[in-house]
Amino acid sequence: MSKIKLSYSFKELSKPMGWAILLSFLYNIAYIYGSAYLGASLALYFLIVLLSLISAVGLYWICLQAWQDHPKLDKDALLPIVVYQGILITLTMGVLSPLHTVVANLDLWYLTLPYQIVCALLIVLAHPLELCMFTSLAQGKTSFRQIKTDMKAKLKNSFKPIWNRYALLLLMVIFLDSLVGAPLSMASGLDAFAILSGLVFYANPMFSWMFALTMAAGFGMTSSIIAYLILLFGIGMVYLIVECNYLFMIKKNWITDGIKKAKAHKKKK
């Protein structure tokens, strides 16, 4: 039988994986205690937004573990990260969330379909664009002008393979979650807005998979719940291994090799 080989050694993967587990655990501890003490109040929403902003910075730190030999978080990189995440939060909760209620109540396919398509586009584009920006920040390009120029070159010349790979990984995550009834499950009807809000407020689900553990633990620690948690933990490890390989692929394409320009084929007269 042929062996399935990872693109990178477990030693290389262990750094970003370790930080992903630790940060996800801390995130969910804050979420659990915040929910318990604040209840369904306005303060809880402020906490969730704050955690979303922090999780974006945490995700960047995880990326640095995969992309740099001696990771260093540049304070100048924090503003672009927070601005980008703030835009996603505003689009999701300020625009799409109110529309979600209206569309759901009307239940008209010609309104539901375009709405779901818009949410789906944000799902498949938000994270790859975020990672594109992260590579610029990791290379010391922290001003908005530098980020714009660098991202424009990457989007023009080498974004497609990165985006295609992410779309495949996201489909795999949704498929696995559908088997265990996790928050991204297709069993709930593949609600694009629910998946998008999970991406925005619980970071990349391939990293913040402990949110699923939080949801399950809320039902009480029975023997069946413990078995379910073990299953989710195993699936979460699969997410981490696959996603960390994806980060190393990004490193090779956009950091190590640089931006590969498309070859121009000029017609001879």
Side-chain angles (χ1 to χ4, degrees):
M1 292 179 66
S2 59
K3 294 182 179 179
I4 299 176
K5 294 183 178 179
L6 294 173
S7 300
Y8 303 92
S9 69
F10 182 78
K11 184 178 179 181
E12 290 177 300
L13 295 174
S14 61
K15 284 178 62 180
M17 283 178 62
W19 278 103
I21 293 172
L22 175 61
L23 295 177
S24 187
F25 175 75
L26 293 175
Y27 181 99
N28 283 277
I29 288 294
Y31 181 84
I32 292 170
Y33 280 95
S35 300
Y37 285 102
L38 299 175
S41 64
L42 184 61
L44 178 62
Y45 288 101
F46 279 115
L47 174 64
I48 293 174
V49 169
L50 177 62
L51 288 175
S52 177
L53 296 174
I54 294 172
S55 72
V57 177
L59 180 58
Y60 177 62
W61 175 250
I62 291 168
C63 292
L64 290 181
Q65 302 303 309
W67 297 338
Q68 295 183 356
D69 294 329
H70 304 286
K72 183 180 179 182
L73 185 60
D74 188 349
K75 64 180 181 180
D76 292 334
L78 298 180
L79 180 59
I81 295 172
V82 170
V83 169
Y84 182 86
Q85 191 71 6
I87 291 172
L88 287 181
I89 292 172
T90 302
L91 285 175
T92 304
M93 298 309 296
V95 179
L96 295 176
S97 181
L99 285 176
H100 185 265
T101 303
V102 174
V103 170
N105 289 335
L106 293 175
D107 195 23
L108 299 171
W109 70 267
Y110 52 84
L111 294 177
T112 303
L113 185 59
Y115 176 79
Q116 294 278 20
I117 290 174
V118 170
C119 292
L121 285 173
L122 279 174
I123 289 169
V124 296
L125 285 173
H127 190 55
L129 286 174
E130 181 180 45
L131 291 174
C132 184
M133 181 186 72
F134 282 179
T135 56
S136 300
L137 297 176
Q139 292 173 302
K141 300 166 185 175
T142 55
S143 72
F144 287 99
R145 183 185 295 274
Q146 289 175 325
I147 294 170
K148 179 182 176 181
T149 302
D150 192 54
M151 286 185 65
K152 186 177 179 181
K154 289 171 181 173
L155 292 173
K156 181 180 179 181
N157 298 308
S158 55
F159 183 74
K160 188 175 180 180
I162 301 291
W163 180 77
N164 286 341
R165 183 71 63 89
Y166 177 74
L168 287 174
L169 294 183
L170 191 59
L171 284 174
M172 185 200 78
V173 168
I174 294 174
F175 173 73
L176 286 178
D177 280 352
S178 70
L179 300 179
V180 297
L184 291 177
S185 176
M186 287 189 288
S188 63
L190 193 57
D191 187 345
F193 175 75
I195 297 175
L196 176 63
S197 60
L199 281 164
V200 174
F201 292 102
Y202 305 105
N204 177 7
M206 299 178 204
F207 280 133
S208 287
W209 49 270
M210 281 192 183
F211 172 62
L213 305 188
T214 305
M215 297 290 287
F219 294 105
M221 298 304 290
T222 63
S223 58
S224 60
I225 291 297
I226 292 173
Y228 185 52
L229 293 179
I230 293 173
L231 174 63
L232 290 177
F233 185 85
I235 292 175
M237 293 304 294
V238 173
Y239 293 169
L240 285 178
I241 293 172
V242 173
E243 177 74 352
C244 287
N245 271 269
Y246 177 66
L247 290 182
F248 278 107
M249 184 197 75
I250 289 176
K251 176 184 178 181
K252 183 179 186 304
N253 280 265
W254 280 344
I255 297 178
T256 305
D257 294 346
I259 302 171
K260 295 181 178 179
K261 297 182 178 179
K263 294 181 179 179
H265 297 281
K266 297 180 180 179
K267 293 182 180 180
K268 293 182 179 180
K269 293 182 180 180

